[in-house]
Amino acid sequence: MGKTTKKARQTPPLSADRVRTGWQGPAGIRIRLARGQDVEAANELMATTGDGVRIIPVLAAAIEDGSAASAMLAGLGGGSKAYHDAAAHTFTDRPMNEAMTTVSLTLVAADEQDRTVGALSATAPGTLIEMAMNNGYPAGKALALSLLVAKVHGLAVAEHARGQGIAATLLKRTWQVHQQLGYFLLYGSYEADRDLAAFYTRAGYTTHAPGETFPLDRIALPFRLGAGDDQCVFTRWRPRR
């Protein structure tokens, strides 16, 4: 009799409600969508990294009024077409910087008293969009890159809560949301003097040497993306099918 093989366990699709209410994480924390009351604490956490990163002001305002990630949440509820339709609507009806907040995701790690002890903000890839336009891409096609690529703008965990897997869990949930929405690439960068290569490698990312660029041929862009000579880029591509 031939061998039987177990079917691979498939992660059930995320819903908008799941992202809003969150997932139980390590050390009794909950990973959930950022709310208005989280913005100040998230910015204070990010200030401790020394990277000079804060939640982008227009995104902070959108988190506070509840419109941040709204197109993404629509996509989780209705599939990729719903996501693209919702994004297209905001791109035409709102100023561009406001529209980009609807395709930007900020998650926090909240402790048992609902205090923010970790935060990750993933935004539309402004540098990539600008580079595409500078290379002759029409504005609409360049803006559509925000539905394929996202940038980890900031990631921070409170000092007393480090070493418990919170940062890795924030990265995991961020990747899960973007993968379900059909993204090809999640990337970010960190100061080269911060020894974070092992952390990002364990989390499933490829880390690049200081100043090293990487190609974008998988999304049909004929140029490379990188950061300054004092920064290291980390990348995670959607697996090839």
Side-chain angles (χ1 to χ4, degrees):
M1 184 180 283
K3 265 188 177 180
T4 58
T5 57
K6 290 184 180 178
K7 287 185 179 178
R9 266 183 89 185
Q10 292 189 344
T11 304
L14 294 176
S15 67
D17 284 344
R18 165 57 72 191
V19 177
R20 289 190 187 98
T21 59
W23 306 260
Q24 196 63 40
I29 64 94
R30 178 166 290 275
I31 305 293
R32 58 166 173 77
L33 189 68
R35 303 167 187 159
Q37 66 266 30
D38 302 313
V39 171
E40 183 178 353
N43 276 331
E44 289 175 359
L45 287 176
M46 290 183 186
T48 67
T49 66
D51 291 339
V53 171
R54 292 173 61 85
I55 295 175
I56 298 167
V58 68
L59 177 56
I63 294 170
E64 289 169 351
D65 70 23
S67 63
S70 57
M72 302 181 81
L73 296 174
L76 292 176
S80 60
K81 184 179 186 303
Y83 178 38
H84 288 212
D85 288 348
H89 179 73
T90 61
F91 288 176
T92 55
D93 282 10
R94 298 192 189 186
M96 194 47 56
N97 62 343
E98 292 181 13
M100 288 301 174
T101 68
T102 71
V103 296
S104 296
L105 178 74
T106 302
L107 299 179
V108 298
D111 67 12
E112 292 171 341
Q113 287 74 46
D114 206 32
R115 295 173 299 197
T116 302
V117 298
L120 189 158
S121 188
T123 62
T127 300
L128 180 56
I129 292 169
E130 183 178 355
M131 290 176 67
M133 293 177 72
N134 289 341
N135 277 266
Y137 282 75
K141 189 172 181 180
L143 292 172
L145 292 171
S146 63
L147 308 182
L148 302 176
V149 179
K151 180 180 181 180
V152 177
H153 175 72
L155 170 61
V157 174
E159 187 172 0
H160 73 271
R162 293 173 189 167
Q164 301 179 84
I166 293 173
T169 305
L170 283 164
L171 276 172
K172 174 184 175 181
R173 295 308 185 186
T174 300
W175 173 254
Q176 189 178 358
V177 172
H178 286 85
Q179 188 175 52
Q180 183 169 320
L181 291 172
Y183 278 69
F184 279 82
L185 172 65
L186 188 61
Y187 78 97
S189 64
Y190 58 89
E191 298 292 329
D193 59 2
R194 299 176 67 202
D195 188 17
L196 294 174
F199 164 72
Y200 282 108
T201 300
R202 287 194 302 271
Y205 290 77
T206 298
T207 57
H208 301 264
E212 182 183 359
T213 61
F214 64 94
L216 296 160
D217 52 320
R218 283 196 60 192
I219 51 174
L221 293 177
F223 51 86
R224 301 173 71 91
L225 192 62
D229 291 340
D230 60 343
Q231 294 188 321
C232 299
V233 173
F234 56 91
T235 58
R236 184 169 183 179
W237 288 92
R238 185 182 185 89
R240 295 182 186 273
R241 293 181 179 177

